[in-house]
Amino acid sequence: MNTQPGKVTLLSAGPGDLDLLTLKAAKALAAADVVLLDDLANPEIVTLAPQARVIRVGKRGGCRSTPQAFIERLMQRYALKGLHVVRVKGGEALLFGRAGEELAALRGAGITVEIVNGISSGFAAAAGLGVSLTHRRHCHGVSFVTAHTEDHGEPDWAALAATRTTLAIYMGMRRIESLAGALLASLPADTPAAVVQWAGGADERRLLTRLDRLAADAASAGFGSPAVILVGDAIGESVEPRAQDADASRDGVTAADAGESRGREATARAA
């Protein structure tokens, strides 16, 4: 039996592309004895941990998930045997990754914990759209928020809208209609909005629209979880075609054509 003290590394696997892993993450995986693998991480990440025992501990909203308490017990069990446990989390471990609960449980058991940061899906979504979340022409900051509070309620959308920051909303697809409606009570209907599904991964999908069409356009295009919802004027800087413009283009009518047609109709009515 290993008499050396074990430890746990909370490792941020990023949005999916293994090229976005940090060197520190790769080194931790190479040294791992046990890997607890999150569902949202790229499964190929285990190739970087050739000597480790891999245990899948998926947690997905609306799906059968591994209980959080069980994951914490697994980490404690193996670390107390003197092993190096790497808890692989999709995105950034410290952002909506239940890291606070795991840190408390491990420290309470006297286990050393190391944290390896990574790229959150909110940043990957912004990169896919080609926008700055903190474009100073449009806002003075960004607010990262989950659509689900611990008591299964919703955040104070009016207060968040009042910040005039870019909103990066996680785990919001099941509530996209209600959250869009709540934000519309405080923000203009034409506020730029976007949905990015599987941000940063090979299957990434992007939708650029406006707040009053957000829920309908996302449903029409078949967007689902996991996805990040971005709302705010800074999102309007994206070169991604807007959903309604793309629809018009598919119908053989460009946005410019549509505008020109509306102009001719207005002139005819005036005459």
Side-chain angles (χ1 to χ4, degrees):
M1 179 178 290
N2 190 350
T3 58
Q4 296 297 314
K7 71 172 185 178
V8 173
T9 298
L10 298 185
L11 188 144
S12 307
D17 186 348
L18 295 186
D19 287 344
L20 296 178
L21 284 173
T22 63
L23 291 174
K24 190 171 185 178
K27 291 176 181 177
L29 287 162
D33 296 308
V34 178
V35 169
L36 301 184
L37 184 63
D38 182 78
D39 252 1
L40 293 179
N42 184 336
E44 294 182 8
I45 197 171
V46 299
T47 62
L48 301 176
Q51 67 182 19
R53 176 183 179 182
V54 178
I55 303 173
R56 287 170 170 78
V57 288
K59 293 182 73 63
R60 292 284 299 276
C63 303
R64 185 175 180 180
S65 300
T66 307
Q68 181 65 29
F70 180 70
I71 295 172
E72 292 166 10
R73 288 197 299 272
L74 280 178
M75 289 190 288
Q76 292 176 22
R77 178 192 307 167
Y78 288 113
L80 290 173
K81 289 181 179 180
L83 301 178
H84 179 193
V85 181
V86 176
R87 167 77 163 107
V88 176
K89 295 171 174 284
E92 163 55 53
L94 304 184
L95 195 61
F96 308 125
R98 306 288 285 269
E101 296 161 55
E102 294 177 5
L103 286 167
L106 293 166
R107 288 169 179 164
I111 296 169
T112 299
V113 187
E114 179 184 31
I115 298 169
V116 177
N117 296 118
I119 296 174
S120 173
S121 56
F123 291 108
L129 291 167
V131 300
S132 167
L133 295 175
T134 56
H135 195 309
R136 64 180 184 174
R137 185 182 304 156
H138 301 294
C139 63
H140 59 267
V142 55
S143 297
F144 295 95
V145 59
T146 172
H148 297 264
T149 59
E150 188 175 21
D151 62 359
H152 305 294
E154 295 194 23
D156 186 338
W157 296 113
L160 286 165
T163 65
R164 298 297 175 181
T165 60
T166 303
L167 301 181
I169 304 168
Y170 290 65
M171 295 169 277
M173 293 306 293
R174 295 177 67 187
R175 297 184 175 184
I176 191 169
E177 188 170 353
S178 64
L179 73 84
L183 288 172
L184 279 168
S186 304
L187 294 174
D190 62 354
T191 301
V195 179
V196 182
Q197 186 175 16
W198 294 110
D203 299 323
E204 179 179 294
R205 300 178 65 209
R206 299 184 292 272
L207 170 73
L208 183 66
T209 182
R210 44 188 272 168
L211 186 56
D212 62 343
R213 293 178 56 96
L214 175 61
D217 285 347
S220 176
F223 276 70
S225 298
V228 178
I229 301 167
L230 299 173
V231 179
D233 289 339
I235 307 306
E237 294 285 340
S238 177
V239 295
E240 187 82 7
R242 285 181 180 261
Q244 52 267 46
D245 294 342
D247 289 343
S249 180
R250 282 194 295 271
D251 292 338
V253 181
T254 67
D257 292 335
E260 185 177 327
S261 175
R262 286 193 296 271
R264 286 198 298 267
E265 291 173 3
T267 301
R269 285 196 299 271

